[in-house]
Amino acid sequence: MTDQNYRQLDEDLPGNLQPIRHQSEESPDPVVEGEPFTSYFDEKIPIPEDDGHTWFSFRKLWAFTGPGFLMSIAYLDPGNIESDLQSGSVAGFKLLWVLLTATVIGLLLQRLAARLGVVTGLHLAEVCNRQYPKVPRIILWLMVELAIIGSDMQEVIGSAIALNLLSVGRIPLWGGVLITIIDTFFFLFLDKYGLRKLELFFGILITVMAITFGYEYVRVSPDQGQLVKGMFFPYCKGCGTPQLEQAVGIVGAVIMPHNMYLHSALVKSRDIDRTNKKEVREANKYFFIESSIALFVSFIINVFVVAVFAEAFYGKTNQDVFYECLNNSSPQSNLFLNNTEPLKVDIYKGGVVLGCFFGAPALYIWAIGILAAGQSSTMTGTYSGQFVMEGFLNLKWSRFARVFFTRSIAITPTLLVAIFQDVEHLTGMNDFLNVLQSLQLPFALIPILTFTSLPSVMNDFANGIGWKIAGGIFILIVCSINLYFVVVYVSALGHIAFYVGAAILSVAYLCFVAYLTWQCLVALGLSFLDCGKTVSNHQIMLTEEQPDFSINN
């Protein structure tokens, strides 16, 4: 790219963001000495030519298939499954439309993440590193790391509970937590056998979830009329505060902050000539189709879980479950108090309840599904952490060093609770972790809208006015809903010290969100808000993969 091209880009900038260039060879990324660095991108999948099908080719779709399904696993993690079952038991089928809406919004936001990676050849963390000044960049990295660690803790909890249920309590919860350390390292060996085999393995785990939760769906046989009505008619007759809070929880569980960073990185695994507009446009199309299919599959699996608990346990009391478990000689009947309060379930109690009402096979099959959800989410969380660390810090660690870093932080508090508290306290951590991840959402959604709206970053593929308005509205809705969820959670703590601490943290948090929002509004075209250069003037040379659409292709 010539100096004249760069001058033209600089003239097109809103004023406070720099054109995307890449680091020169004189400043290579630091690499940890010792074990060779391995990455998801050690190989790239070639895209076959198919001149016989100009608009659509199944061969090409198959070549692009993989990243979207890995991304969709975040929609099937243990936190999502718990949100699904609680939604069904608290509101019946009435909140299925919320799940559908959240999934569609998630798909549209994932489209932005994929386009950023395809068009620029850089993932979101790398772009943030090149665009934001040092202090905001470090804060952003810390926030995203918190989200990844919180997600990892949920996945550890889910896997430990699944192992406890499968072993009929013989593997204690703390033992299950320790096992998740070993099995994660074991699964990471899989990527040494090739990228497609790794993607196939993730596909198998998703299939396991579809079969196990599908079995529960068939076994319970939900009312199909009520299911369709709840999915396509946005209503919630007779709903109160519990149902409203559950609806908010669904949105928070579905749209995960680290998933934006993950998806923008995964799409780099395909061999695309980014100097060719046609290939970039084609890649954007096929990645969107693949993501739509993947999220449709994840949505169906989530619907299975909601429908099972809506049909079987909506309106049930603790007493109903207590006597059913007692009559079936369940050793876990003492989990439920003998009173008339509404039934409250989590992923552990959910398996127990299924076993009491539908037999032991339902419990074990449920546990297998939860284990598949926990293991698959753990591995994609590891990739997210690696991409984020690479991008924000220009620091490359070996896969095992990265797993050790994230997992040690996630394991410590989880292990302590598992050793010194009971299963209810362990599953209760999910509420806190959902709040933690809800707080991190602006730190993924605002940057992704900012950079995909900049012609200096996306060239001819920058968001149009429609996407800018729709994206802004979606992000405002999602972030507002999640902040409401946080306020409800903090209000329920009931201690003045928590209120004071939350107030102090809120000031710093809102200031940083306001900074990112200001940058985003300038990128969206509100140039009157631009008060000067606030982003690093460091400019980075293009890689061979980086598009240069200012030159006729």
Side-chain angles (χ1 to χ4, degrees), residues 190-482:
L190 287 171
D191 66 358
K192 296 182 181 297
Y193 294 97
L195 180 55
R196 293 301 266 176
K197 290 185 177 63
L198 179 68
E199 292 175 345
L200 175 63
F201 179 73
F202 279 102
I204 291 171
L205 290 176
I206 293 174
T207 305
V208 169
M209 285 184 266
I211 292 172
T212 53
F213 297 135
Y215 167 84
E216 308 287 0
Y217 181 85
V218 172
R219 181 72 177 81
V220 174
S221 300
D223 185 323
Q224 301 303 302
Q226 289 297 315
L227 187 149
V228 172
K229 185 179 178 182
M231 189 180 299
F232 296 107
F233 291 89
Y235 81 113
C236 196
K237 185 178 179 181
C239 291
T241 302
Q243 288 76 21
L244 175 61
E245 292 177 2
Q246 193 57 52
V248 170
I250 290 173
V251 177
V254 167
I255 302 174
M256 307 284 282
H258 67 277
N259 217 27
M260 301 297 153
Y261 291 88
L262 175 68
H263 198 195
S264 65
L266 294 176
V267 296
K268 293 170 58 179
S269 60
R270 268 47 185 180
D271 191 9
I272 302 164
D273 180 6
R274 291 183 173 84
T275 62
N276 186 320
K277 280 186 184 181
K278 181 182 176 183
E279 285 196 25
V280 173
R281 188 176 291 110
E282 183 180 72
N284 284 331
K285 177 181 73 176
Y286 282 108
F287 275 130
F288 182 68
I289 294 172
E290 186 239 358
S291 297
S292 301
I293 296 170
L295 288 189
F296 175 75
V297 172
S298 72
F299 173 71
I300 294 299
I301 295 173
N302 282 310
V303 167
F304 285 162
V305 179
V306 175
V308 164
F309 283 83
E311 180 70 27
F313 307 115
Y314 175 55
K316 289 281 195 301
T317 64
N318 286 328
Q319 191 174 70
D320 296 332
V321 177
F322 174 79
Y323 281 116
E324 187 69 29
C325 290
L326 200 63
N327 292 337
N328 286 282
S329 303
S330 170
Q332 291 104 343
S333 58
N334 60 344
L335 285 173
F336 308 96
L337 299 175
N338 187 8
N339 59 34
T340 56
E341 291 184 6
L343 174 66
K344 292 183 178 180
V345 288
D346 48 47
I347 53 176
Y348 182 81
K349 287 183 179 178
V352 172
V353 170
L354 286 170
C356 291
F357 279 79
F358 300 102
L363 184 153
Y364 294 127
I365 290 172
W366 169 263
I368 292 171
I370 295 297
L371 185 61
Q375 292 304 302
S376 57
S377 300
T378 293
M379 289 183 282
T380 54
T382 298
Y383 284 114
S384 300
Q386 181 171 324
F387 298 143
V388 165
M389 180 170 284
E390 286 178 29
F392 278 108
L393 304 182
N394 274 337
L395 180 65
K396 294 184 177 181
W397 282 11
S398 72
R399 184 71 44 79
F400 290 94
R402 173 66 219 186
V403 174
F404 182 78
F405 172 76
T406 306
R407 186 47 57 91
S408 3
I409 297 175
I411 283 287
T412 305
T414 311
L415 188 60
L416 290 174
V417 173
I419 292 173
F420 297 108
Q421 300 290 342
D422 54 20
V423 67
E424 292 198 32
H425 285 87
L426 190 62
T427 54
M429 288 180 68
N430 277 327
D431 292 333
F432 169 75
L433 295 172
N434 283 335
V435 168
L436 178 67
Q437 291 179 84
S438 295
L439 285 170
Q440 313 311 318
L441 264 176
F443 307 129
L445 301 188
I446 295 176
I448 200 68
L449 180 62
T450 300
F451 300 130
T452 55
S453 298
L454 282 173
S456 57
V457 174
M458 300 291 288
N459 294 285
D460 292 353
F461 294 93
N463 294 331
I465 186 65
W467 272 101
K468 289 178 181 179
I469 295 172
I473 292 172
F474 289 152
I475 290 172
L476 179 62
I477 291 172
V478 170
C479 291
S480 299
I481 287 173
N482 280 277

Side-chain angles (χ1 to χ4, degrees), residues 27-50:
S27 56
D29 294 339
V31 180
V32 175
E33 294 182 1
E35 182 187 341
F37 174 73
T38 58
S39 171
Y40 182 86
F41 310 119
D42 285 348
E43 64 172 301
K44 292 210 173 188
I45 305 302
I47 307 302
E49 294 293 334
D50 195 348

Side-chain angles (χ1 to χ4, degrees), residues 49-299:
E49 294 293 334
D50 195 348
D51 297 330
H53 301 82
T54 56
W55 187 84
F56 181 82
S57 165
F58 281 104
R59 287 182 65 210
K60 287 189 175 182
L61 178 61
W62 178 248
F64 283 105
T65 297
F69 280 90
L70 268 68
M71 168 273 295
S72 73
I73 286 171
Y75 292 71
L76 294 168
D77 69 358
N80 270 287
I81 302 301
E82 182 162 281
S83 174
D84 292 337
L85 65 89
Q86 290 173 343
S87 168
S89 64
V90 169
F93 298 98
K94 299 175 185 177
L95 296 180
L96 277 173
W97 64 273
V98 177
L99 176 62
L100 175 60
T101 304
T103 304
V104 171
I105 292 176
L107 172 63
L108 297 177
L109 295 174
Q110 297 293 163
R111 173 186 178 272
L112 297 181
R115 284 172 68 87
L116 180 70
V118 169
V119 173
T120 66
L122 303 171
H123 56 70
L124 180 55
E126 291 173 320
V127 178
C128 289
N129 180 42
R130 288 152 175 78
Q131 293 292 341
Y132 290 123
K134 184 176 181 180
V135 173
R137 185 168 69 238
I138 292 174
I139 296 173
L140 203 56
W141 168 66
L142 291 173
M143 294 299 100
V144 177
E145 286 288 0
L146 276 177
I148 292 171
I149 290 167
S151 176
D152 201 45
M153 288 177 69
Q154 286 186 312
E155 289 140 16
V156 169
I157 291 169
S159 297
I161 286 173
L163 291 169
N164 182 268
L165 288 172
L166 284 171
S167 66
V168 199
R170 291 187 180 88
I171 298 177
L173 290 171
W174 60 266
V177 170
L178 292 175
I179 289 173
T180 61
I181 303 175
I182 302 168
D183 60 20
T184 302
F185 282 106
F186 171 76
F187 285 130
L188 286 175
F189 278 110
L190 287 171
D191 66 358
K192 296 182 181 297
Y193 294 97
L195 180 55
R196 293 301 266 176
K197 290 185 177 63
L198 179 68
E199 292 175 345
L200 175 63
F201 179 73
F202 279 102
I204 291 171
L205 290 176
I206 293 174
T207 305
V208 169
M209 285 184 266
I211 292 172
T212 53
F213 297 135
Y215 167 84
E216 308 287 0
Y217 181 85
V218 172
R219 181 72 177 81
V220 174
S221 300
D223 185 323
Q224 301 303 302
Q226 289 297 315
L227 187 149
V228 172
K229 185 179 178 182
M231 189 180 299
F232 296 107
F233 291 89
Y235 81 113
C236 196
K237 185 178 179 181
C239 291
T241 302
Q243 288 76 21
L244 175 61
E245 292 177 2
Q246 193 57 52
V248 170
I250 290 173
V251 177
V254 167
I255 302 174
M256 307 284 282
H258 67 277
N259 217 27
M260 301 297 153
Y261 291 88
L262 175 68
H263 198 195
S264 65
L266 294 176
V267 296
K268 293 170 58 179
S269 60
R270 268 47 185 180
D271 191 9
I272 302 164
D273 180 6
R274 291 183 173 84
T275 62
N276 186 320
K277 280 186 184 181
K278 181 182 176 183
E279 285 196 25
V280 173
R281 188 176 291 110
E282 183 180 72
N284 284 331
K285 177 181 73 176
Y286 282 108
F287 275 130
F288 182 68
I289 294 172
E290 186 239 358
S291 297
S292 301
I293 296 170
L295 288 189
F296 175 75
V297 172
S298 72
F299 173 71

